């Protein structure tokens, strides 16, 4: 029982196939002009529409006999009332047309649910799909600490903490722009920070499970050393990671016995992974922390498998 899935987030076009055990994901970042901090939604939507044929061709070229028995897509950022982003229309409409053409079911999910499923499958912790746990969604647009509970073959995620203003990804990308790095700057900033001598950052005030990052941006700009970009990168990341770790520790006291799953592009950061080594934390391979269609494919398979068993 093989399924096909689409995810067209703000900066990555992705398609994936999954048969319940083996997965194949094809992704490509959208082009963003140097010195800018992203794309307008209209430009992102147009870019996805242009890229989808290329990525589906790439997927089907390695799976020439693949005929999906169901098709899924992320249709919105989060599974909450009013959550909407035009770029998801690209993948959702393609998926619905394909499902109708093939005469197979279509399943809709949120981008956030896909991130959680991708992290759990690729880390080998699918048992957490059926167990309450905590999860971080750390990305360019989202920095949310979630309480996740099973919801049939899917999961339901309730926001319990995170940032109150700019996201972790925004802080990273703005720091990257300050250093003249390309967007998105996460991988470059991570690599730079690993060559730094300093390990100190600004101590962010954490109120329970929440914190603000806008003040960190001001601190990074004040700290900035043009002749030592690696130190600026490390200062920004240590400031951010310190807040995430303290909020996580607070959450584990409120939810004893829970595991914390890290998802989203920022979760691929090596310093964050090291800082969480002593916590009951689950990190997946970096390529599945970033935006992908794998998680949506896993959820599509689970939903279709449950329907087939009825």
């Amino acid at each position: 029982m093989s399924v096909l899935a689409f995810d067209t987030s703000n900066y990555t076009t992705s398609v994936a196939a999954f048969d319940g055990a083996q997965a194949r994901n094809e992704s490509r970042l959208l082009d963003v002009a140097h010195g800018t901090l992203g794309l307008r939604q209209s430009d992102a939507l147009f870019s996805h529409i242009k890229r989808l044929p290329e990525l589906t061709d790439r997927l089907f070229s390695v799976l020439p006999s693949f005929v999906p028995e169901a098709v899924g897509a992320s249709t919105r950022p989060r599974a909450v009332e009013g959550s909407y982003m035009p770029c998801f229309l690209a993948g959702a409409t393609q998926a619905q047309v394909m499902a109708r053409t093939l005469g197979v079911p279509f399943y809709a999910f949120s981008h956030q649910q896909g991130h959680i499923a991708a992290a759990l499958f690729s880390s080998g912790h699918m048992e957490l799909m059926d167990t309450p746990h905590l999860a971080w969604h750390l990305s360019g647009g989202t920095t949310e600490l979630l309480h996740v509970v099973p919801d049939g073959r899917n999961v339901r995620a309730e926001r319990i903490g995170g940032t109150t203003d700019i996201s972790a990804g925004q802080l990273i990308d703005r720091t990257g722009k300050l250093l003249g790095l390309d967007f998105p700057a996460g991988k470059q900033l991570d690599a730079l920070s690993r060559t730094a001598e300093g390990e100190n950052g600004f101590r962010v005030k954490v109120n329970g499970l929440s914190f603000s990052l806008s003040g960190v941006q001001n601190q990074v700009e004040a700290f900035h050393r043009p002749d030592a970009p690696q130190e600026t990168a490390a200062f920004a990341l240590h400031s951010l990671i310190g807040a995430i770790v303290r909020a996580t520790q607070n959450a584990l006291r409120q939810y004893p016995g829970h595991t914390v799953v890290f998802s989203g592009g920022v979760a691929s950061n090596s310093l964050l992974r090291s800082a969480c080594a002593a916590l009951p934390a689950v990190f997946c391979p970096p390529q599945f922390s970033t935006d992908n269609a794998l998680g949506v494919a896993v959820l599509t398979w689970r939903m279709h498998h449950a329907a087939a068993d009825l």
Side-chain angles (χ1 to χ4, degrees):
M1 184 182 295
S2 298
V3 302
L4 177 69
F6 295 81
D7 183 84
T8 49
S9 65
N10 213 24
Y11 303 114
T12 305
T13 313
S14 304
V15 296
F18 183 63
D19 66 1
Q22 302 295 318
R24 177 82 184 195
N25 181 79
E26 298 288 348
S27 296
R28 181 175 171 180
L29 282 168
L30 302 181
D31 294 327
V32 178
H34 180 73
T36 63
L37 287 172
L39 294 169
R40 293 180 300 178
Q41 278 292 299
S42 58
D43 293 333
L45 177 60
F46 181 60
S47 295
H48 283 310
I49 292 171
K50 291 194 299 181
R51 290 282 169 75
L52 279 169
E54 169 198 336
L55 290 175
T56 52
D57 283 349
R58 191 187 303 171
L59 180 69
F60 280 87
S61 69
V62 296
L63 301 170
S65 61
F66 174 47
V67 179
E69 297 186 14
V71 185
S74 54
T75 60
R76 53 181 174 165
R78 302 169 62 233
V80 297
E81 186 71 27
S83 181
Y84 172 73
M85 192 174 285
C87 61
F88 289 106
L89 287 171
T93 53
Q94 292 270 8
Q96 290 175 72
V97 169
M98 182 171 286
R100 179 60 63 89
T101 301
L102 295 172
V104 301
F106 167 75
Y107 298 96
F109 307 96
S110 74
H111 178 69
Q112 188 171 76
Q113 288 167 329
H115 262 306
I116 294 170
L120 294 179
F121 175 77
S122 62
S123 66
H125 285 279
M126 282 296 287
E127 77 281 358
L128 291 176
M129 287 289 296
D130 303 307
T131 305
H133 61 275
L134 301 175
W136 275 106
H137 181 186
L138 302 166
S139 69
T142 305
T143 296
E144 294 185 341
L145 178 56
L146 309 164
H147 184 236
V148 183
V149 297
D151 186 15
R153 303 295 282 175
N154 199 348
V155 292
R156 183 172 68 253
E158 176 191 2
R159 187 185 190 279
I160 58 172
T163 183
T164 58
D165 43 33
I166 66 172
S167 70
Q170 286 175 310
L171 174 65
I172 287 171
D173 289 327
R174 291 176 185 181
T175 303
K177 183 178 180 180
L178 181 67
L179 300 179
L181 305 178
D182 288 332
F183 177 93
K187 290 183 179 179
Q188 302 163 84
L189 212 67
D190 190 5
L192 267 178
S193 69
R194 292 198 295 269
T195 66
E197 295 182 2
E199 296 184 357
N200 295 323
F202 173 70
R203 185 173 176 83
V204 179
K205 183 178 181 181
V206 177
N207 294 311
L209 309 183
S210 300
F211 50 85
S212 167
L213 292 177
S214 57
V216 180
Q217 181 182 344
N218 296 332
Q219 292 292 329
V220 171
E221 291 171 354
F223 176 88
H224 177 43
R225 302 174 184 175
D227 59 338
Q230 71 277 13
E231 302 300 332
T232 303
F235 180 86
L237 289 174
H238 283 298
S239 301
L240 168 64
I241 291 167
I244 292 171
V245 169
R246 294 199 304 280
T248 302
Q249 292 168 334
N250 292 342
L252 289 169
R253 283 189 281 270
Q254 290 188 30
Y255 296 87
H258 279 49
T259 298
V260 186
V261 178
F262 285 79
S263 69
V266 178
S268 64
N269 182 269
S270 61
L271 293 182
L272 174 63
R273 291 172 179 240
S274 296
C276 294
L279 300 176
V282 169
F283 284 90
C284 66
Q287 67 268 32
F288 294 119
S289 294
T290 55
D291 289 350
N292 62 82
L294 169 64
V296 178
V298 170
L299 292 172
T300 300
W301 186 87
R302 284 172 62 88
M303 294 293 287
H304 188 55
H305 187 73
D309 287 343
L310 294 178

